[in-house]
């Protein structure tokens, strides 16, 4: 008896278009389907943020502030501040416990941050 192959349906994604430190400036796009709505977003460094040097944490990781702008049909545009690890381009939105990871398998990840600890 043949087993039915289940199709994987992506529920979120993140794509890095321009890396941190590139002359054009950081640019990443994200998307997520939540409660039947397609949220699309952009992550970038504002002019003010671009003038600030990254901060090095106690663990030696380098962090910079970024702006996250999210849009969905018939919803208010959401603008949030977040932190990005400059080495791996993972973005953390502490306020929502969300993250964007452009190097995750299946086209990146944008959603709840699940800690491995």
């Amino acid at each position: 008896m043949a087993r039915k192959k289940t199709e994987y349906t992506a529920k979120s994604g993140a794509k890095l278009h321009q890396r941190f430190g590139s002359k054009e400036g950081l640019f990443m796009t994200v998307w997520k389907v939540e409660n039947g709505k397609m949220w699309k977003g952009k992550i970038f460094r504002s002019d003010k943020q671009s003038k600030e040097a990254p901060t090095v944490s106690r663990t030696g990781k380098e962090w910079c502030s970024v702006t996250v702008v999210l849009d969905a049909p018939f919803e208010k545009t959401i603008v949030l501040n977040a932190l990005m690890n400059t080495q791996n381009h993972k973005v953390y939105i502490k306020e929502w416990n969300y993250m964007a990871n452009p190097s995750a398998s299946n086209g990146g990840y944008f959603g709840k941050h699940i800690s491995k600890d």
Side-chain angles (χ1 to χ4, degrees):
M1 190 157 131
R3 276 180 53 182
K4 193 174 173 184
K5 186 180 176 194
T6 54
E7 280 298 309
Y8 170 76
T9 311
K11 291 176 182 59
S12 76
K15 182 173 170 112
L16 184 65
H17 299 275
Q18 283 151 226
R19 304 182 81 70
F20 173 78
S22 69
K23 74 175 196 273
E24 297 89 9
L26 170 78
F27 188 72
M28 187 185 308
T29 53
V30 294
W31 65 272
K32 179 167 184 62
V33 176
E34 193 162 274
N35 299 330
K37 285 198 170 110
M38 169 65 99
W39 287 88
K40 292 181 178 182
K42 301 181 275 265
I43 298 173
F44 57 92
R45 294 192 79 197
S46 69
D47 290 340
K48 185 180 176 227
Q49 289 169 329
S50 295
K51 290 177 177 73
E52 296 171 4
T55 307
V56 179
S57 66
R58 287 191 302 265
T59 57
K61 291 179 181 165
E62 204 174 75
W63 299 91
C64 69
S65 56
V66 294
T67 301
V68 180
V69 179
L70 298 168
D71 284 304
F74 309 109
E75 295 288 340
K76 282 186 178 174
T77 298
I78 299 169
V79 180
L80 299 161
N81 286 318
L83 285 175
M84 185 187 77
N85 181 326
T86 61
Q87 282 100 356
N88 60 17
H89 292 87
K90 288 182 184 175
V91 176
Y92 297 91
I93 305 169
K94 189 176 181 187
E95 209 174 315
W96 289 5
N97 193 32
Y98 259 47
M99 75 173 297
N101 180 1
S103 53
S105 60
N106 296 323
Y109 174 75
F110 179 63
K112 288 268 182 239
H113 177 233
I114 297 134
S115 179
K116 291 179 185 149
D117 305 337

